């Protein structure tokens, strides 16, 4: 998903980090994906997109409403700008277009595409059970209830909502022809043409009630994790000729450049789940992890509130382990580790925490009275603050990891409260950071008792415990009684606590 034009205000904000934010990036070569975090540190961070939407990530949510869109059928009298920005084909959209079925009004700004090449017609960014489609369309909207324009919303945690459409090669699509017939006018970078308005709704699948929903990011630099993703379950088709118009007619270089560079293969590889789940508005016959609402959002708020101010021992005795749905260990990225690896990670935990110069500076300032993270995170401000802190300790080169460790607990808490992730151990440690140590130890003992009781009755607990990308926060491993087959949830292993 692209956001490639900045207002003067945003440019001024980014000037401070001028040395970190380079202007050039590509999908391959020296400025390819692996190079993005060097200039755009959030690209190496957390809650990134796209992802491979696998069955084990899915949770059915019966409360998800059909997507309702307004004013998508545009008159031919309206003029739209079709452009080649060097990374994609983009169409500007009028502000009267919006999504009306989300908690806020999200106003349309633009739509664009990602695609493969003539030799490899697989270029969608999102995958479904590792299947990659020929192309993908993103219709980008910003939260116009809270922000005046796209530029002000792009770096806010509640700033954007994107509708994603998977595209396969098949039947001719007359709706796509409304702009593809003008594509020769934008063969080179920065070229633009005016096209008549058309029915943008016709670019979407017929059914808007079946979709995947998760918290993620821009899929291009600066990769801010500011996107509420809605990926429709059903794909649309375009003909092979229409696909080739995208894949062969365009260049990412300027018209005056001596060596034209073809514009194709403009998709980012799948990113790690980071404890996220994918809510679905439909029921699948197999492979889904049952109903989402093992605990309701209101119960989740109460749990977080009690973690903040309540009696931790009572909370654990009452069944804190029920916070996560059964089988949630499948959601964690990476391969399962053996006990020796777990012990090694546990020993390195304190070093990881001590290496963070601001580890106690960020508490739960954005957690509201009911335990809800209400204020939007501003990623530009967060980056500036973390960079300042690192500069004082002469560790500027750790910016990518520092931002990841700083933002993950906040994002995970918000997503958890909205049922779009599991509650990961780094987040629990974040919530409990200011609690008295003796209470933390009491929670540890209570959790151990609860887990032993759980182990006596559980028949589906795994022998080994997976780790997350944030394995530096992994809990310590303790000896288990012979009857216990393991712990039901990774973060509920007995924990070590710093003062």
């Amino acid at each position: 998903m692209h956001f490639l034009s900045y207002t003067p205000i945003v440019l001024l904000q980014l000037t401070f980090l001028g040395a970190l934010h380079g202007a050039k990036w590509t999908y391959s070569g020296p400025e390819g994906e692996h190079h993005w975090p060097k200039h755009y540190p959030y690209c190496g961070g957390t809650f990134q997109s796209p992802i491979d939407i696998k069955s084990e990530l899915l949770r059915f949510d019966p409360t998800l409403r059909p997507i309702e869109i307004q004013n998508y059928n545009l008159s031919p009298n309206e003029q739209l700008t079709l452009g080649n920005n060097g990374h994609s084909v983009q169409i500007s959209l009028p502000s009267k277009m919006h999504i009306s079925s989300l908690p806020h009004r999200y106003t349309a700004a633009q739509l664009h595409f990602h695609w493969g090449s003539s030799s490899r017609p697989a270029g969608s960014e999102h995958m479904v059970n590792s299947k990659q489609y020929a192309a993908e369309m993103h219709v980008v909207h910003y939260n116009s209830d809270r922000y005046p324009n796209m530029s002000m919303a792009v770096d806010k945690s509640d700033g954007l909502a994107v509708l994603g459409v998977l595209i396969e090669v098949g039947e001719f699509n007359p709706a796509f022809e409304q702009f593809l017939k003008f594509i020769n006018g934008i063969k080179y970078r920065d070229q633009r043409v005016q096209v008549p308005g058309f029915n943008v709704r016709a670019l979407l699948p017929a059914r808007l009630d079946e979709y995947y929903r998760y918290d993620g990011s821009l899929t291009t630099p600066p990769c801010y994790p500011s996107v509420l993703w809605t990926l429709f379950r059903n794909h649309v088709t375009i003909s092979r000729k229409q696909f080739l118009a995208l894949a062969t007619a365009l260049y990412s270089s300027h018209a005056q450049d001596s060596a034209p560079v073809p514009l194709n293969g403009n998709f980012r590889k799948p990113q790690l789940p980071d404890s996220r789940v994918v809510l679905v508005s439909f029921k699948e016959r197999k492979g889904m992890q049952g109903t989402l609402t093992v605990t309701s959002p209101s119960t989740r708020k109460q749990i977080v509130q009690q973690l903040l101010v309540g009696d931790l021992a009572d909370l654990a005795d009452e069944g804190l382990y029920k916070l996560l749905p059964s089988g949630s260990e499948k959601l964690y990225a990476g391969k399962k580790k053996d006990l020796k690896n777990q012990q090694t990670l546990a020993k390195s935990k304190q070093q990881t925490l001590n290496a963070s110069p601001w580890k106690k500076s960020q508490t739960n300032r954005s957690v509201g009275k009911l335990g809800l993270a209400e204020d939007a995170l501003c990623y530009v401000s967060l980056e500036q603050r973390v960079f300042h802190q690192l500069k004082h300790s002469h560790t500027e080169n750790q910016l990518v990891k520092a931002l990841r460790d700083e933002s993950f607990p906040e994002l995970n808490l918000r997503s958890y409260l909205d049922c779009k992730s599991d509650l990961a151990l780094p987040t629990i440690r974040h919530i409990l950071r200011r609690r008295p140590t003796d209470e933390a130890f009491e929670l540890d003992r209570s959790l151990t008792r609860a887990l032993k009781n759980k182990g006596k009755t559980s028949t589906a607990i795994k022998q080994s415990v997976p780790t997350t990308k944030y394995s530096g926060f992994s809990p310590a491993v303790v000896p288990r009684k012979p009857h216990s087959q393991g712990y039901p949830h990774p973060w509920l292993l007995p924990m070590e606590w710093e003062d």
Side-chain angles (χ1 to χ4, degrees):
M1 197 202 89
H2 290 281
F3 181 75
L4 298 169
S5 59
Y6 296 105
T7 64
I9 293 174
V10 173
L11 285 172
L12 283 173
Q13 288 175 319
L14 294 178
T15 300
F16 170 79
L17 297 161
L20 297 170
H21 287 139
K24 187 175 181 182
W25 59 268
T26 60
Y27 285 95
S28 59
E31 282 87 29
E33 284 187 54
H34 67 283
H35 188 76
W36 292 359
K38 182 177 179 180
H39 297 293
Y40 304 94
Y42 283 102
C43 296
T46 185
F47 274 48
Q48 289 294 290
S49 297
I51 60 173
D52 185 355
I53 299 175
K54 294 185 176 180
S55 294
E56 58 263 29
L57 296 181
L58 305 183
R59 298 289 185 275
F60 170 63
D61 184 352
T63 69
L64 289 178
R65 298 166 50 193
I67 298 298
E68 296 176 8
I69 52 177
Q70 307 298 327
N71 303 319
Y72 263 53
N73 190 359
L74 302 176
S75 164
N77 296 327
E78 298 185 64
Q79 292 293 299
L80 306 178
T81 300
L82 174 69
N84 174 347
N85 56 35
H87 302 290
S88 181
V89 168
Q90 183 170 298
I91 302 175
S92 62
L93 298 175
S95 58
K96 69 178 182 179
M97 293 174 56
H98 66 275
I99 303 172
S100 59
S101 53
L102 294 173
H104 294 284
R105 175 172 173 144
Y106 282 86
T107 293
Q110 47 101 335
L111 65 83
H112 63 268
F113 300 87
H114 302 269
W115 59 87
S117 64
S118 57
S119 59
R120 187 182 180 275
S124 69
E125 297 206 299
H126 288 91
M127 299 182 185
V128 180
N129 285 321
S130 300
K131 172 181 169 60
Q132 187 176 23
Y133 289 76
E136 185 170 336
M137 179 178 73
H138 295 157
V139 190
V140 185
H141 304 71
Y142 69 92
N143 184 345
S144 53
D145 281 347
R146 299 196 66 175
Y147 309 107
N149 52 51
M150 175 81 164
S151 298
M152 296 300 292
V154 70
D155 74 319
K156 308 302 188 299
S157 55
D158 61 351
L160 304 181
V162 178
L163 304 180
V165 178
L166 299 168
I167 302 170
E168 196 64 288
V169 173
E171 295 293 321
F172 174 82
N173 193 320
F176 279 72
E177 200 63 21
Q178 296 296 314
F179 63 89
L180 286 176
K181 61 187 177 184
F182 298 100
I183 205 164
N184 284 329
I186 58 164
K187 291 182 71 69
Y188 298 97
R189 183 175 189 144
D190 294 334
Q191 290 186 338
R192 297 177 181 85
V193 296
Q194 297 297 111
V195 301
F198 59 97
N199 187 2
V200 180
R201 169 64 181 88
L203 300 177
L204 306 179
R207 297 193 63 166
L208 302 185
D209 61 329
E210 295 187 342
Y211 56 86
Y212 306 96
R213 166 73 51 76
Y214 78 100
D215 285 333
S217 74
L218 304 171
T219 64
T220 61
C223 303
Y224 295 134
S226 55
V227 179
L228 179 66
W229 278 98
T230 301
L231 184 72
F232 291 109
R233 179 191 193 185
N234 299 306
H235 67 267
V236 301
T237 64
I238 58 175
S239 68
R240 177 163 179 79
K241 182 179 179 181
Q242 289 177 309
F243 174 79
L244 290 176
L246 277 176
T248 65
L250 303 169
Y251 297 94
S252 61
S253 50
H254 293 96
Q256 62 270 26
D257 292 345
S258 56
V261 180
L263 176 51
N264 55 45
N266 59 341
F267 58 91
R268 189 185 193 189
K269 295 180 177 65
Q271 306 296 300
L272 293 174
D274 288 336
S275 297
R276 288 173 289 181
V277 300
V278 178
L279 305 185
V280 291
S281 63
F282 56 90
K283 286 188 176 181
E284 224 171 43
R285 291 174 184 167
K286 59 181 180 178
M288 203 176 292
Q289 296 297 308
T291 303
L292 163 78
T293 50
V294 175
T295 53
S296 68
S298 61
T299 301
R300 291 170 184 238
K301 285 185 185 180
Q302 293 170 8
I303 294 292
V304 171
Q305 179 69 3
Q306 195 158 356
L307 284 171
L308 283 165
V309 299
D311 188 311
L312 302 182
D314 287 347
L315 179 61
D317 288 336
E318 291 169 5
L320 183 59
Y321 60 85
K322 293 180 181 178
L323 276 172
L324 297 182
S326 82
S328 64
E329 64 273 3
K330 296 177 183 178
L331 303 180
Y332 289 84
K335 297 181 179 179
K336 294 184 177 181
K337 307 294 184 182
D338 58 25
L339 290 180
K340 182 176 180 181
N341 288 342
Q342 286 286 321
Q343 290 167 334
T344 301
L345 291 168
K347 289 177 182 177
S348 68
K349 170 177 64 61
Q350 196 63 44
Q351 292 178 329
T352 303
L353 290 170
N354 289 340
S356 175
W358 60 89
K359 68 173 184 173
K360 295 187 183 295
S361 67
Q362 171 89 357
T363 55
N364 299 291
R365 56 180 174 75
S366 65
V367 179
K369 293 181 179 179
L370 295 177
L372 175 64
E374 295 169 341
D375 297 330
L377 291 176
C378 176
Y379 297 115
V380 167
S381 298
L382 180 61
E383 185 176 350
Q384 290 178 359
R385 177 168 61 80
V386 171
F387 182 74
H388 270 307
Q389 291 165 332
L390 289 172
K391 194 172 183 180
H392 289 316
S393 60
H394 305 288
T395 53
E396 298 96 322
N397 61 338
Q398 297 180 14
L399 183 59
V400 173
K401 181 183 184 303
L403 280 173
R404 184 185 67 206
D405 292 344
E406 182 86 341
S407 61
F408 176 79
E410 292 273 7
L411 291 171
N412 180 237
L413 175 61
R414 296 162 187 270
S415 196
Y416 169 75
L417 290 170
D418 288 336
C419 302
K420 294 193 292 296
S421 75
D422 289 331
L423 194 60
L425 179 60
T427 306
I428 294 177
R429 296 181 67 85
H430 178 77
I431 293 172
L432 297 177
R433 192 162 286 170
R434 283 193 170 180
R435 299 306 302 271
T437 303
D438 58 343
E439 290 191 12
F441 277 119
E442 182 60 31
L443 174 61
D444 180 76
R445 288 192 290 270
S446 298
L447 285 172
T448 302
R449 289 195 300 270
L451 288 165
K452 285 181 179 179
N453 293 334
K454 177 81 172 178
K456 291 177 183 179
T457 57
S458 175
T459 59
I461 300 173
K462 301 294 183 182
Q463 188 73 19
S464 58
V465 180
T467 59
T468 73
K469 178 179 178 181
Y470 303 92
S471 55
F473 293 89
S474 292
V477 173
V478 298
R480 292 176 292 182
K481 292 185 177 181
H483 69 262
S484 175
Q485 298 299 307
Y487 290 99
H489 305 301
W491 65 265
L492 285 176
L493 285 165
M495 307 170 196
E496 294 178 357
W497 303 91
E498 76 269 27
D499 292 333

